Amino acid sequence: MLIEERLDKIKSIIEANKSATIEFLSETLDVSKDTIRRDLIKLEQQNVVRRTHGGAVSANREAMILDYDQRSSRLNRIKEQIAQKAAEIVKDNSSILFDSSTTVEAAIMQLGNKRLYAITNSLTHAKLLAKLEKAEITLLPGKLHKDQLFLYGSETVKKIEQYNTDYTLLGVFALSKDGVFIHTEEEGLVKRQMIAQGHHVIALADHTKIDTTGFFKVCSLAEIDVLVTDQQPEPQMMDYLNENKVEVIVANEQRGEK
C-alpha cells in the first residue's frame, strides 16, 4: 500500500469515528505501530488529526449529530463500561432524573435491584425502567421529538422544576473547557433544568465527546459533580476539570478499574 493511500485510509477511519488508537490502525491497515505513529505525525502537520496518548482524534472538534438509531448502535461496549461505573455511584433508594441519551440508557440496564424513583423525558428509557422491579417511574409531559424519541418544551421544563432529586444522569453530546454543549436548544433546555434539580450531577461521556463543542451551551463544568468516561482526558482538559472540581472516573476496559 502506498503511503498516500494509507494516509487517506487513516483519515477516513478517524473522520468516521472521531478518534482511533494506534493499535487499531496498525491491525486494520496491517502495518507496524511505528509506521502508524509516523503517519499520524504527517497528518497532524496537515492539521487533519490531533495526536493523543495512544492514538489520534479528528482535528475537527465539532461533535457529530446522529439520530436515535445511530446513537444507540454506536460504541456499545464502551457505553457498557461507562454505564457500569455510573450505576456503582447511584445509591439504593434514590431519586434520579434520567435524560434521553443512549449512554444513560445503558446505565439504566446496570441499576439492577436498586429501589429508585425515576423521572425521564425519554420513551425508550421509561420502557426500560419499567422492567426494573423496584423502580417507580414518572414520564415527563411535553412535545414528542419523533426522531430522537424524547419529550421537550416549556411544559417539560416546568414539570422538571417541581423535582429535587438525589441524582441527575446526564448524557454528554459535547464537552470542552467552556462546558457541556448540545446541538439543539430544545433538548439543551431540558438538560439544563435537569442539572439544576439534581443534587449530584453525573455526566457520562465517551472519549469522542471530550474536547468537542456544539451549538447550545447546557451548563458550565462547575455544574457537573462527576464525569464518567472511558479514557483519561488530555492533561490540559484534566486541568480544566480539576479547576472546576469535577471528579473524573475512568472506566478501564481491560482492568475494570478507575
Side-chain angles (χ1 to χ4, degrees):
M1 184 185 299
L2 297 175
I3 183 171
E4 291 304 322
E5 183 183 356
R6 191 172 65 245
L7 291 176
D8 284 341
K9 287 184 178 295
I10 292 172
K11 283 191 287 186
S12 297
I13 290 169
I14 294 176
E15 284 172 3
N17 298 283
K18 292 296 180 183
S19 68
T21 64
I22 290 171
E23 183 176 3
F24 175 79
L25 292 169
S26 173
E27 291 177 357
T28 302
L29 300 177
D30 195 24
V31 295
S32 71
K33 293 179 182 178
D34 285 339
T35 297
I36 294 297
R37 288 189 183 95
R38 289 192 293 270
D39 289 345
L40 292 178
I41 290 171
K42 290 186 178 71
L43 290 174
E44 187 174 52
Q45 291 170 345
Q46 298 171 17
N47 199 34
V48 173
V49 306
R50 182 165 58 82
R51 288 183 298 148
T52 63
H53 178 70
V57 297
S58 172
N60 177 11
R61 301 309 294 158
E62 183 74 21
M64 289 186 292
I65 300 173
L66 305 172
D67 65 22
Y68 180 83
D69 288 336
Q70 290 172 318
R71 291 187 294 124
S72 63
S73 64
R74 226 177 144 255
L75 303 173
N76 286 332
R77 188 164 63 165
I78 289 174
K79 286 178 185 175
E80 288 175 8
Q81 294 289 325
I82 293 172
Q84 286 171 5
K85 288 295 181 184
E88 289 171 11
I89 299 171
V90 174
K91 295 179 181 178
D92 192 27
N93 199 29
S94 296
S95 55
I96 310 174
L97 279 160
F98 295 89
D99 82 357
S100 59
S101 83
T102 55
T103 311
V104 167
E105 178 182 304
I108 290 170
M109 294 185 280
Q110 300 293 331
L111 290 170
N113 288 322
K114 291 181 179 178
R115 189 177 299 278
L116 305 171
Y117 186 87
I119 306 105
T120 186
N121 68 322
S122 166
L123 298 184
T124 55
H125 294 13
K127 186 176 179 180
L128 278 176
L129 286 161
K131 295 179 181 179
L132 302 182
E133 185 179 350
K134 296 181 180 179
E136 184 177 342
I137 306 118
T138 293
L139 181 62
L140 293 163
K143 299 177 183 178
L144 176 64
H145 192 295
K146 293 182 180 179
D147 293 327
Q148 304 288 355
L149 301 177
F150 64 79
L151 295 146
Y152 68 97
S154 59
E155 188 181 5
T156 312
V157 173
K158 287 178 181 177
K159 186 65 176 180
I160 295 169
E161 290 175 358
Q162 298 177 21
Y163 295 99
N164 181 22
T165 62
D166 297 308
Y167 302 97
T168 291
L169 282 185
L170 181 78
V172 172
F173 172 78
L175 183 148
S176 73
K177 65 181 179 65
D178 298 314
V180 174
F181 292 82
I182 189 72
H183 59 292
T184 64
E185 181 176 354
E186 58 196 22
E187 189 173 5
L189 290 172
V190 172
K191 285 177 177 281
R192 181 183 288 175
Q193 197 62 50
M194 285 184 169
I195 291 165
Q197 305 309 129
H199 178 70
H200 203 65
V201 179
I202 305 170
L204 314 181
D206 68 70
H207 64 279
T208 68
K209 309 294 179 60
I210 296 176
D211 198 18
T212 65
T213 189
F215 169 71
F216 184 82
K217 184 173 180 177
V218 178
C219 69
S220 66
L221 291 180
E223 293 173 82
I224 298 170
D225 296 296
V226 179
L227 171 64
V228 186
T229 186
D230 62 306
Q231 291 183 16
Q232 185 80 8
E234 290 296 298
Q236 189 175 39
M237 190 68 231
M238 276 300 301
D239 288 342
Y240 292 126
L241 291 164
N242 290 332
E243 287 170 10
N244 286 278
K245 296 181 171 52
V246 180
E247 179 185 0
V248 178
I249 297 176
V250 178
N252 188 299
E253 194 170 51
Q254 276 69 44
R255 298 187 302 169
E257 298 175 354
K258 294 181 183 179

